[in-house]
Amino acid sequence: MIAQPFVSPDDIRAMFCSALSDMYKKEVPLYGDLIELVNDVNSEIKKVKPDLWEIGDRLRVERHGAIRLGTSEELSTISRMFKQMGMYAVGYYDLSTSGVPVHSTAFRPKTTSSLDKNPFRIFTSLLRTELIPDLNLRNKVIEILNERDIFHPNVKELILKSENQGGLNKIDSELLIEYSLETFKWHKSALVDEETYNEMKKTHPLLADVAGFKGPHINHLTPRTLDIDAVQRMMAERGIPPKKVIEGPPVRECPILLRQTSFQALTEPINFAGSSPGETSQGLHRARFGEIESRGAALTPAGHELYQNLMKQAGSFTPTDNNEIWQIRLGKIFQSFPDTWEEIRKQNLAYFKYSLSSFAQSQLSSSSSSFIGKGLEELIKDGIINYTPIVYEDFLPASAAGIFQSNLGEHVKTTTSGLNAKEEMESHLNSKIQDYFELYNEIQQLSLDQVKQQLIGCTI
Ligand code: OOG
Ligand code: NI
């Protein structure tokens, strides 16, 4: 028998992303409407601005999703599952500082070629049961979570098989996707009875969402748009109720980081587990929504610091604000964040990819000596080297907390504790969480090294 070749993890991720998106479209038809709206807006923008730096082939398939897990064992298995799809833990987000009792990471591809192929990411939060103040409830939640198994047995077998043999063939890859969807699907039947559900919800709606169900249903998927302000305006016109405000920085000539908005979470009917066999009662649950994002340049630590300081100056969105007022306020404050790529680069606020200009390429064979002795700045000035911003592939903790809050409703904010939470998460992932600044820096440095190779003799 001829051995079948292994499918590349990048291809498995692309298949998984599209299967998950198809499943969610069926489960939440409004998400399908949102995708249509985003595709319409993106096609218009592409017509008017064909040279936009952020347009790539990946745009039509680009998504992120989010799940909320209950135990470290779940996190551990899911990280092994995502690894088969070329997704690794990048970035640590402690949301307990914003009053949400979880900490999170994002599983995503890391290399430029994998990102170009399909940048699918899943924002993955883990409930921190130690932040549940009532001890009885805390123990009850832990017990419920320890009893459930969110993975289909075939998934666990396939992960092991892939780990042992170094990959999966086509048939196994398809099976992995088929059975992994089981983990992310919606369960109309709650795992707990009405009383337990209400007790958890009263303490924090997140508890009910995580421990109240059989699995970590995907709670949103997010396509990427080239004009989030247009999508925000048009959502209401198309009967998609928008969130009040766009999270993140204001609209700019040079987009930075991440801007996000969503439609309000649906109120969905659920069946509680009966307290005696065969008996059920019904209730309503709010968790699932659709989100839109626009991505800009990845900022350096200095850029992030400036961003955070400016956001602090803006204060917080109050109930009397609306998106327009808020965006105008932000726009004014962000005047002190440079808005040309040249200035942003000179002040080292963002990461860039460097390449040889076509002019330089044509000169290479004839007179490469003319580059000798020149530094990066001079070569850029002379039109020898071009640069483009690197897209921000990650998340913003304050925006994430805003998204959580807007979709969970009002609740008591839990307090934070536990200094070593990140290390603890890493111990369950069996690896360090990748620092995203390091990743962007590597991509930037690699591009510089390549240019240097091409221009041997200059002193970049
Ligand atoms: C995750 C919210 C975070 C984002 O885009 O910032 C997120 C959640 O609600 O579970 O997806
Ligand atoms: Ni999101």
PDB file of all heavy atoms in Angstrom, residues 64-68 95 104 123-125 206 209 219-220 222 258 260 287 289 291 293 295 395-397 399-401 403-405 407-408, ligand 1:
ATOM      1  N   HIS A  64     -11.517  35.752  12.479  1.00  0.00           N
ATOM      2  CA  HIS A  64     -11.095  35.218  13.769  1.00  0.00           C
ATOM      3  C   HIS A  64     -12.341  34.768  14.514  1.00  0.00           C
ATOM      4  O   HIS A  64     -13.452  35.184  14.197  1.00  0.00           O
ATOM      5  CB  HIS A  64     -10.236  36.204  14.571  1.00  0.00           C
ATOM      6  CG  HIS A  64     -10.999  37.188  15.422  1.00  0.00           C
ATOM      7  ND1 HIS A  64     -10.993  38.531  15.194  1.00  0.00           N
ATOM      8  CD2 HIS A  64     -11.774  37.018  16.529  1.00  0.00           C
ATOM      9  CE1 HIS A  64     -11.743  39.151  16.104  1.00  0.00           C
ATOM     10  NE2 HIS A  64     -12.226  38.253  16.928  1.00  0.00           N
ATOM     11  N   GLY A  65     -12.122  33.900  15.496  1.00  0.00           N
ATOM     12  CA  GLY A  65     -13.239  33.416  16.292  1.00  0.00           C
ATOM     13  C   GLY A  65     -12.868  33.484  17.759  1.00  0.00           C
ATOM     14  O   GLY A  65     -11.740  33.844  18.109  1.00  0.00           O
ATOM     15  N   ALA A  66     -13.818  33.143  18.640  1.00  0.00           N
ATOM     16  CA  ALA A  66     -13.493  33.142  20.071  1.00  0.00           C
ATOM     17  C   ALA A  66     -14.238  32.025  20.792  1.00  0.00           C
ATOM     18  O   ALA A  66     -15.407  31.726  20.479  1.00  0.00           O
ATOM     19  CB  ALA A  66     -13.837  34.479  20.703  1.00  0.00           C
ATOM     20  N   ILE A  67     -13.524  31.406  21.738  1.00  0.00           N
ATOM     21  CA  ILE A  67     -14.126  30.393  22.600  1.00  0.00           C
ATOM     22  C   ILE A  67     -13.715  30.662  24.046  1.00  0.00           C
ATOM     23  O   ILE A  67     -12.720  31.340  24.294  1.00  0.00           O
ATOM     24  CB  ILE A  67     -13.705  28.945  22.217  1.00  0.00           C
ATOM     25  CG1 ILE A  67     -12.178  28.849  22.124  1.00  0.00           C
ATOM     26  CG2 ILE A  67     -14.368  28.505  20.930  1.00  0.00           C
ATOM     27  CD1 ILE A  67     -11.677  27.434  22.033  1.00  0.00           C
ATOM     28  N   ARG A  68     -14.491  30.095  24.954  1.00  0.00           N
ATOM     29  CA  ARG A  68     -14.199  30.251  26.390  1.00  0.00           C
ATOM     30  C   ARG A  68     -14.165  28.865  27.015  1.00  0.00           C
ATOM     31  O   ARG A  68     -15.166  28.147  26.979  1.00  0.00           O
ATOM     32  CB  ARG A  68     -15.309  31.085  27.045  1.00  0.00           C
ATOM     33  CG  ARG A  68     -15.463  32.436  26.395  1.00  0.00           C
ATOM     34  CD  ARG A  68     -16.821  33.046  26.627  1.00  0.00           C
ATOM     35  NE  ARG A  68     -16.972  34.318  25.922  1.00  0.00           N
ATOM     36  CZ  ARG A  68     -18.127  34.958  25.800  1.00  0.00           C
ATOM     37  NH1 ARG A  68     -19.242  34.450  26.317  1.00  0.00           N
ATOM     38  NH2 ARG A  68     -18.178  36.094  25.159  1.00  0.00           N
ATOM     39  N   LEU A  95      -7.687  39.486  31.276  1.00  0.00           N
ATOM     40  CA  LEU A  95      -8.900  40.308  31.253  1.00  0.00           C
ATOM     41  C   LEU A  95      -9.478  40.518  32.651  1.00  0.00           C
ATOM     42  O   LEU A  95     -10.446  41.250  32.818  1.00  0.00           O
ATOM     43  CB  LEU A  95      -9.955  39.673  30.320  1.00  0.00           C
ATOM     44  CG  LEU A  95      -9.511  39.565  28.862  1.00  0.00           C
ATOM     45  CD1 LEU A  95     -10.671  39.122  27.979  1.00  0.00           C
ATOM     46  CD2 LEU A  95      -8.959  40.874  28.328  1.00  0.00           C
ATOM     47  N   SER A 104      -6.493  34.967  28.679  1.00  0.00           N
ATOM     48  CA  SER A 104      -6.656  34.498  27.301  1.00  0.00           C
ATOM     49  C   SER A 104      -5.346  34.509  26.529  1.00  0.00           C
ATOM     50  O   SER A 104      -4.407  35.204  26.877  1.00  0.00           O
ATOM     51  CB  SER A 104      -7.641  35.413  26.549  1.00  0.00           C
ATOM     52  OG  SER A 104      -8.745  35.745  27.349  1.00  0.00           O
ATOM     53  N   PHE A 123      -9.327  33.443  19.499  1.00  0.00           N
ATOM     54  CA  PHE A 123      -9.103  34.054  20.806  1.00  0.00           C
ATOM     55  C   PHE A 123      -9.658  33.070  21.830  1.00  0.00           C
ATOM     56  O   PHE A 123     -10.856  32.760  21.827  1.00  0.00           O
ATOM     57  CB  PHE A 123      -9.847  35.394  20.861  1.00  0.00           C
ATOM     58  CG  PHE A 123      -9.489  36.235  22.049  1.00  0.00           C
ATOM     59  CD1 PHE A 123      -8.428  37.136  21.990  1.00  0.00           C
ATOM     60  CD2 PHE A 123     -10.212  36.165  23.221  1.00  0.00           C
ATOM     61  CE1 PHE A 123      -8.089  37.930  23.082  1.00  0.00           C
ATOM     62  CE2 PHE A 123      -9.887  36.952  24.317  1.00  0.00           C
ATOM     63  CZ  PHE A 123      -8.824  37.840  24.247  1.00  0.00           C
ATOM     64  N   THR A 124      -8.786  32.553  22.680  1.00  0.00           N
ATOM     65  CA  THR A 124      -9.177  31.465  23.574  1.00  0.00           C
ATOM     66  C   THR A 124      -9.034  31.906  25.031  1.00  0.00           C
ATOM     67  O   THR A 124      -7.939  32.221  25.476  1.00  0.00           O
ATOM     68  CB  THR A 124      -8.290  30.229  23.298  1.00  0.00           C
ATOM     69  OG1 THR A 124      -8.413  29.906  21.905  1.00  0.00           O
ATOM     70  CG2 THR A 124      -8.718  29.038  24.128  1.00  0.00           C
ATOM     71  N   SER A 125     -10.148  31.927  25.723  1.00  0.00           N
ATOM     72  CA  SER A 125     -10.139  32.368  27.112  1.00  0.00           C
ATOM     73  C   SER A 125     -10.317  31.169  28.026  1.00  0.00           C
ATOM     74  O   SER A 125     -11.005  30.207  27.682  1.00  0.00           O
ATOM     75  CB  SER A 125     -11.294  33.344  27.367  1.00  0.00           C
ATOM     76  OG  SER A 125     -11.172  34.450  26.514  1.00  0.00           O
ATOM     77  N   LEU A 206     -20.666  35.119  32.590  1.00  0.00           N
ATOM     78  CA  LEU A 206     -19.662  34.289  31.943  1.00  0.00           C
ATOM     79  C   LEU A 206     -19.633  32.870  32.511  1.00  0.00           C
ATOM     80  O   LEU A 206     -19.424  31.896  31.791  1.00  0.00           O
ATOM     81  CB  LEU A 206     -18.299  34.939  32.169  1.00  0.00           C
ATOM     82  CG  LEU A 206     -17.178  34.347  31.364  1.00  0.00           C
ATOM     83  CD1 LEU A 206     -17.111  35.012  30.020  1.00  0.00           C
ATOM     84  CD2 LEU A 206     -15.874  34.476  32.099  1.00  0.00           C
ATOM     85  N   ASP A 209     -22.237  30.911  30.924  1.00  0.00           N
ATOM     86  CA  ASP A 209     -21.910  30.606  29.529  1.00  0.00           C
ATOM     87  C   ASP A 209     -20.859  29.504  29.422  1.00  0.00           C
ATOM     88  O   ASP A 209     -20.899  28.677  28.520  1.00  0.00           O
ATOM     89  CB  ASP A 209     -21.411  31.874  28.814  1.00  0.00           C
ATOM     90  CG  ASP A 209     -21.228  31.627  27.327  1.00  0.00           C
ATOM     91  OD1 ASP A 209     -22.210  31.188  26.686  1.00  0.00           O
ATOM     92  OD2 ASP A 209     -20.124  31.834  26.817  1.00  0.00           O
ATOM     93  N   ASN A 219     -18.353  31.606  20.035  1.00  0.00           N
ATOM     94  CA  ASN A 219     -19.306  32.664  20.390  1.00  0.00           C
ATOM     95  C   ASN A 219     -19.352  33.803  19.378  1.00  0.00           C
ATOM     96  O   ASN A 219     -20.254  34.631  19.404  1.00  0.00           O
ATOM     97  CB  ASN A 219     -19.104  33.159  21.831  1.00  0.00           C
ATOM     98  CG  ASN A 219     -17.787  33.893  22.026  1.00  0.00           C
ATOM     99  OD1 ASN A 219     -17.473  34.817  21.295  1.00  0.00           O
ATOM    100  ND2 ASN A 219     -17.027  33.492  23.032  1.00  0.00           N
ATOM    101  N   HIS A 220     -18.351  33.890  18.507  1.00  0.00           N
ATOM    102  CA  HIS A 220     -18.465  34.775  17.343  1.00  0.00           C
ATOM    103  C   HIS A 220     -17.390  34.446  16.330  1.00  0.00           C
ATOM    104  O   HIS A 220     -16.378  33.828  16.667  1.00  0.00           O
ATOM    105  CB  HIS A 220     -18.382  36.256  17.730  1.00  0.00           C
ATOM    106  CG  HIS A 220     -17.040  36.710  18.259  1.00  0.00           C
ATOM    107  ND1 HIS A 220     -16.656  36.523  19.558  1.00  0.00           N
ATOM    108  CD2 HIS A 220     -16.013  37.363  17.665  1.00  0.00           C
ATOM    109  CE1 HIS A 220     -15.447  37.046  19.748  1.00  0.00           C
ATOM    110  NE2 HIS A 220     -15.033  37.558  18.620  1.00  0.00           N
ATOM    111  N   THR A 222     -15.376  36.582  13.029  1.00  0.00           N
ATOM    112  CA  THR A 222     -15.160  37.978  12.653  1.00  0.00           C
ATOM    113  C   THR A 222     -14.473  38.096  11.307  1.00  0.00           C
ATOM    114  O   THR A 222     -13.295  37.758  11.179  1.00  0.00           O
ATOM    115  CB  THR A 222     -14.265  38.636  13.730  1.00  0.00           C
ATOM    116  OG1 THR A 222     -14.847  38.398  15.000  1.00  0.00           O
ATOM    117  CG2 THR A 222     -14.109  40.125  13.502  1.00  0.00           C
ATOM    118  N   LEU A 258      -6.046  47.660  15.604  1.00  0.00           N
ATOM    119  CA  LEU A 258      -7.270  46.913  15.336  1.00  0.00           C
ATOM    120  C   LEU A 258      -8.478  47.744  15.727  1.00  0.00           C
ATOM    121  O   LEU A 258      -8.511  48.324  16.817  1.00  0.00           O
ATOM    122  CB  LEU A 258      -7.181  45.668  16.222  1.00  0.00           C
ATOM    123  CG  LEU A 258      -8.264  44.644  16.241  1.00  0.00           C
ATOM    124  CD1 LEU A 258      -8.413  44.019  14.859  1.00  0.00           C
ATOM    125  CD2 LEU A 258      -7.910  43.552  17.251  1.00  0.00           C
ATOM    126  N   GLN A 260     -12.734  47.381  15.981  1.00  0.00           N
ATOM    127  CA  GLN A 260     -13.725  46.288  15.997  1.00  0.00           C
ATOM    128  C   GLN A 260     -15.111  46.780  16.380  1.00  0.00           C
ATOM    129  O   GLN A 260     -15.265  47.671  17.215  1.00  0.00           O
ATOM    130  CB  GLN A 260     -13.326  45.235  17.038  1.00  0.00           C
ATOM    131  CG  GLN A 260     -12.009  44.566  16.765  1.00  0.00           C
ATOM    132  CD  GLN A 260     -11.601  43.646  17.889  1.00  0.00           C
ATOM    133  OE1 GLN A 260     -11.491  44.077  19.024  1.00  0.00           O
ATOM    134  NE2 GLN A 260     -11.399  42.384  17.579  1.00  0.00           N
ATOM    135  N   ALA A 287     -25.213  34.834  24.199  1.00  0.00           N
ATOM    136  CA  ALA A 287     -23.768  34.627  24.112  1.00  0.00           C
ATOM    137  C   ALA A 287     -23.247  34.869  22.696  1.00  0.00           C
ATOM    138  O   ALA A 287     -22.169  35.407  22.514  1.00  0.00           O
ATOM    139  CB  ALA A 287     -23.394  33.217  24.533  1.00  0.00           C
ATOM    140  N   PHE A 289     -22.700  36.102  18.847  1.00  0.00           N
ATOM    141  CA  PHE A 289     -22.838  37.315  18.059  1.00  0.00           C
ATOM    142  C   PHE A 289     -21.951  37.243  16.813  1.00  0.00           C
ATOM    143  O   PHE A 289     -21.324  36.221  16.541  1.00  0.00           O
ATOM    144  CB  PHE A 289     -22.512  38.542  18.912  1.00  0.00           C
ATOM    145  CG  PHE A 289     -21.133  38.553  19.515  1.00  0.00           C
ATOM    146  CD1 PHE A 289     -20.126  39.301  18.939  1.00  0.00           C
ATOM    147  CD2 PHE A 289     -20.829  37.822  20.662  1.00  0.00           C
ATOM    148  CE1 PHE A 289     -18.840  39.334  19.486  1.00  0.00           C
ATOM    149  CE2 PHE A 289     -19.554  37.852  21.212  1.00  0.00           C
ATOM    150  CZ  PHE A 289     -18.564  38.600  20.623  1.00  0.00           C
ATOM    151  N   GLU A 291     -19.010  39.688  14.607  1.00  0.00           N
ATOM    152  CA  GLU A 291     -18.132  40.833  14.824  1.00  0.00           C
ATOM    153  C   GLU A 291     -17.443  41.185  13.498  1.00  0.00           C
ATOM    154  O   GLU A 291     -17.374  40.347  12.597  1.00  0.00           O
ATOM    155  CB  GLU A 291     -17.100  40.432  15.889  1.00  0.00           C
ATOM    156  CG  GLU A 291     -16.213  41.539  16.389  1.00  0.00           C
ATOM    157  CD  GLU A 291     -15.080  40.997  17.254  1.00  0.00           C
ATOM    158  OE1 GLU A 291     -14.539  39.918  16.921  1.00  0.00           O
ATOM    159  OE2 GLU A 291     -14.737  41.637  18.246  1.00  0.00           O
ATOM    160  N   GLU A 293     -13.921  43.453  11.926  1.00  0.00           N
ATOM    161  CA  GLU A 293     -12.719  44.149  12.357  1.00  0.00           C
ATOM    162  C   GLU A 293     -11.997  44.745  11.169  1.00  0.00           C
ATOM    163  O   GLU A 293     -12.160  44.288  10.037  1.00  0.00           O
ATOM    164  CB  GLU A 293     -11.801  43.191  13.109  1.00  0.00           C
ATOM    165  CG  GLU A 293     -11.217  42.103  12.245  1.00  0.00           C
ATOM    166  CD  GLU A 293     -10.431  41.095  13.047  1.00  0.00           C
ATOM    167  OE1 GLU A 293     -10.528  41.101  14.290  1.00  0.00           O
ATOM    168  OE2 GLU A 293      -9.730  40.284  12.430  1.00  0.00           O
ATOM    169  N   ARG A 295      -7.982  45.889  10.288  1.00  0.00           N
ATOM    170  CA  ARG A 295      -6.632  45.748  10.862  1.00  0.00           C
ATOM    171  C   ARG A 295      -5.670  46.752  10.252  1.00  0.00           C
ATOM    172  O   ARG A 295      -5.727  47.030   9.056  1.00  0.00           O
ATOM    173  CB  ARG A 295      -6.123  44.317  10.654  1.00  0.00           C
ATOM    174  CG  ARG A 295      -6.868  43.328  11.538  1.00  0.00           C
ATOM    175  CD  ARG A 295      -6.305  41.929  11.533  1.00  0.00           C
ATOM    176  NE  ARG A 295      -7.039  41.153  12.533  1.00  0.00           N
ATOM    177  CZ  ARG A 295      -6.633  40.986  13.793  1.00  0.00           C
ATOM    178  NH1 ARG A 295      -5.483  41.485  14.192  1.00  0.00           N
ATOM    179  NH2 ARG A 295      -7.377  40.299  14.644  1.00  0.00           N
ATOM    180  N   PHE A 395      -4.631  40.942  19.215  1.00  0.00           N
ATOM    181  CA  PHE A 395      -5.853  41.493  19.813  1.00  0.00           C
ATOM    182  C   PHE A 395      -5.506  42.618  20.777  1.00  0.00           C
ATOM    183  O   PHE A 395      -4.340  42.845  21.086  1.00  0.00           O
ATOM    184  CB  PHE A 395      -6.619  40.377  20.529  1.00  0.00           C
ATOM    185  CG  PHE A 395      -7.143  39.342  19.576  1.00  0.00           C
ATOM    186  CD1 PHE A 395      -6.348  38.287  19.167  1.00  0.00           C
ATOM    187  CD2 PHE A 395      -8.429  39.453  19.044  1.00  0.00           C
ATOM    188  CE1 PHE A 395      -6.809  37.343  18.260  1.00  0.00           C
ATOM    189  CE2 PHE A 395      -8.899  38.520  18.137  1.00  0.00           C
ATOM    190  CZ  PHE A 395      -8.091  37.463  17.745  1.00  0.00           C
ATOM    191  N   LEU A 396      -6.522  43.319  21.260  1.00  0.00           N
ATOM    192  CA  LEU A 396      -6.316  44.401  22.224  1.00  0.00           C
ATOM    193  C   LEU A 396      -7.134  44.089  23.465  1.00  0.00           C
ATOM    194  O   LEU A 396      -8.361  43.957  23.366  1.00  0.00           O
ATOM    195  CB  LEU A 396      -6.794  45.729  21.623  1.00  0.00           C
ATOM    196  CG  LEU A 396      -6.008  46.220  20.405  1.00  0.00           C
ATOM    197  CD1 LEU A 396      -6.672  47.440  19.798  1.00  0.00           C
ATOM    198  CD2 LEU A 396      -4.569  46.534  20.801  1.00  0.00           C
ATOM    199  N   PRO A 397      -6.472  43.955  24.616  1.00  0.00           N
ATOM    200  CA  PRO A 397      -7.215  43.532  25.806  1.00  0.00           C
ATOM    201  C   PRO A 397      -8.389  44.444  26.167  1.00  0.00           C
ATOM    202  O   PRO A 397      -9.457  43.951  26.527  1.00  0.00           O
ATOM    203  CB  PRO A 397      -6.154  43.543  26.913  1.00  0.00           C
ATOM    204  CG  PRO A 397      -4.915  44.068  26.325  1.00  0.00           C
ATOM    205  CD  PRO A 397      -5.035  44.105  24.847  1.00  0.00           C
ATOM    206  N   SER A 399     -10.203  46.299  24.169  1.00  0.00           N
ATOM    207  CA  SER A 399     -11.290  46.084  23.206  1.00  0.00           C
ATOM    208  C   SER A 399     -11.970  44.746  23.486  1.00  0.00           C
ATOM    209  O   SER A 399     -13.196  44.627  23.423  1.00  0.00           O
ATOM    210  CB  SER A 399     -10.759  46.066  21.774  1.00  0.00           C
ATOM    211  OG  SER A 399     -10.081  47.249  21.478  1.00  0.00           O
ATOM    212  N   ALA A 400     -11.150  43.723  23.783  1.00  0.00           N
ATOM    213  CA  ALA A 400     -11.710  42.400  24.064  1.00  0.00           C
ATOM    214  C   ALA A 400     -12.651  42.473  25.267  1.00  0.00           C
ATOM    215  O   ALA A 400     -13.760  41.932  25.240  1.00  0.00           O
ATOM    216  CB  ALA A 400     -10.599  41.395  24.315  1.00  0.00           C
ATOM    217  N   ALA A 401     -12.216  43.209  26.309  1.00  0.00           N
ATOM    218  CA  ALA A 401     -13.068  43.331  27.494  1.00  0.00           C
ATOM    219  C   ALA A 401     -14.356  44.067  27.126  1.00  0.00           C
ATOM    220  O   ALA A 401     -15.445  43.702  27.590  1.00  0.00           O
ATOM    221  CB  ALA A 401     -12.319  44.068  28.597  1.00  0.00           C
ATOM    222  N   ILE A 403     -15.840  44.006  24.249  1.00  0.00           N
ATOM    223  CA  ILE A 403     -16.674  43.067  23.486  1.00  0.00           C
ATOM    224  C   ILE A 403     -17.354  42.091  24.451  1.00  0.00           C
ATOM    225  O   ILE A 403     -18.556  41.831  24.349  1.00  0.00           O
ATOM    226  CB  ILE A 403     -15.817  42.280  22.472  1.00  0.00           C
ATOM    227  CG1 ILE A 403     -15.062  43.233  21.556  1.00  0.00           C
ATOM    228  CG2 ILE A 403     -16.617  41.229  21.744  1.00  0.00           C
ATOM    229  CD1 ILE A 403     -15.574  43.435  20.191  1.00  0.00           C
ATOM    230  N   PHE A 404     -16.605  41.551  25.383  1.00  0.00           N
ATOM    231  CA  PHE A 404     -17.174  40.647  26.389  1.00  0.00           C
ATOM    232  C   PHE A 404     -18.356  41.342  27.068  1.00  0.00           C
ATOM    233  O   PHE A 404     -19.453  40.799  27.134  1.00  0.00           O
ATOM    234  CB  PHE A 404     -16.146  40.360  27.503  1.00  0.00           C
ATOM    235  CG  PHE A 404     -15.401  39.064  27.362  1.00  0.00           C
ATOM    236  CD1 PHE A 404     -14.105  39.029  26.893  1.00  0.00           C
ATOM    237  CD2 PHE A 404     -15.987  37.867  27.734  1.00  0.00           C
ATOM    238  CE1 PHE A 404     -13.400  37.846  26.788  1.00  0.00           C
ATOM    239  CE2 PHE A 404     -15.297  36.679  27.641  1.00  0.00           C
ATOM    240  CZ  PHE A 404     -13.996  36.667  27.160  1.00  0.00           C
ATOM    241  N   GLN A 405     -18.086  42.563  27.572  1.00  0.00           N
ATOM    242  CA  GLN A 405     -19.090  43.246  28.379  1.00  0.00           C
ATOM    243  C   GLN A 405     -20.349  43.559  27.580  1.00  0.00           C
ATOM    244  O   GLN A 405     -21.452  43.380  28.053  1.00  0.00           O
ATOM    245  CB  GLN A 405     -18.511  44.520  28.996  1.00  0.00           C
ATOM    246  CG  GLN A 405     -18.243  44.354  30.476  1.00  0.00           C
ATOM    247  CD  GLN A 405     -16.829  44.702  30.862  1.00  0.00           C
ATOM    248  OE1 GLN A 405     -16.141  45.391  30.124  1.00  0.00           O
ATOM    249  NE2 GLN A 405     -16.390  44.235  32.014  1.00  0.00           N
ATOM    250  N   ASN A 407     -21.614  42.036  25.245  1.00  0.00           N
ATOM    251  CA  ASN A 407     -22.419  40.868  24.903  1.00  0.00           C
ATOM    252  C   ASN A 407     -22.867  40.025  26.085  1.00  0.00           C
ATOM    253  O   ASN A 407     -23.701  39.144  25.941  1.00  0.00           O
ATOM    254  CB  ASN A 407     -21.660  40.006  23.898  1.00  0.00           C
ATOM    255  CG  ASN A 407     -21.662  40.668  22.542  1.00  0.00           C
ATOM    256  OD1 ASN A 407     -22.716  40.798  21.919  1.00  0.00           O
ATOM    257  ND2 ASN A 407     -20.516  41.134  22.113  1.00  0.00           N
ATOM    258  N   LEU A 408     -22.309  40.306  27.235  1.00  0.00           N
ATOM    259  CA  LEU A 408     -22.721  39.527  28.407  1.00  0.00           C
ATOM    260  C   LEU A 408     -23.727  40.295  29.241  1.00  0.00           C
ATOM    261  O   LEU A 408     -24.359  39.755  30.133  1.00  0.00           O
ATOM    262  CB  LEU A 408     -21.507  39.199  29.279  1.00  0.00           C
ATOM    263  CG  LEU A 408     -20.551  38.149  28.725  1.00  0.00           C
ATOM    264  CD1 LEU A 408     -19.253  38.158  29.505  1.00  0.00           C
ATOM    265  CD2 LEU A 408     -21.185  36.776  28.772  1.00  0.00           C
TER     266      LEU A 408
HETATM  267  C1  OOG B   1     -13.736  37.093  23.350  1.00  0.00           C
HETATM  268  C2  OOG B   1     -13.694  38.556  23.109  1.00  0.00           C
HETATM  269  C3  OOG B   1     -12.378  38.964  22.495  1.00  0.00           C
HETATM  270  C4  OOG B   1     -11.866  40.183  20.349  1.00  0.00           C
HETATM  271  O1  OOG B   1     -12.076  40.287  19.139  1.00  0.00           O
HETATM  272  O2  OOG B   1     -11.269  41.058  20.991  1.00  0.00           O
HETATM  273  C5  OOG B   1     -12.389  38.985  21.028  1.00  0.00           C
HETATM  274  C6  OOG B   1     -15.028  36.578  23.901  1.00  0.00           C
HETATM  275  O3  OOG B   1     -16.031  37.300  23.962  1.00  0.00           O
HETATM  276  O4  OOG B   1     -15.019  35.385  24.247  1.00  0.00           O
HETATM  277  O5  OOG B   1     -12.798  38.112  20.337  1.00  0.00           O
END
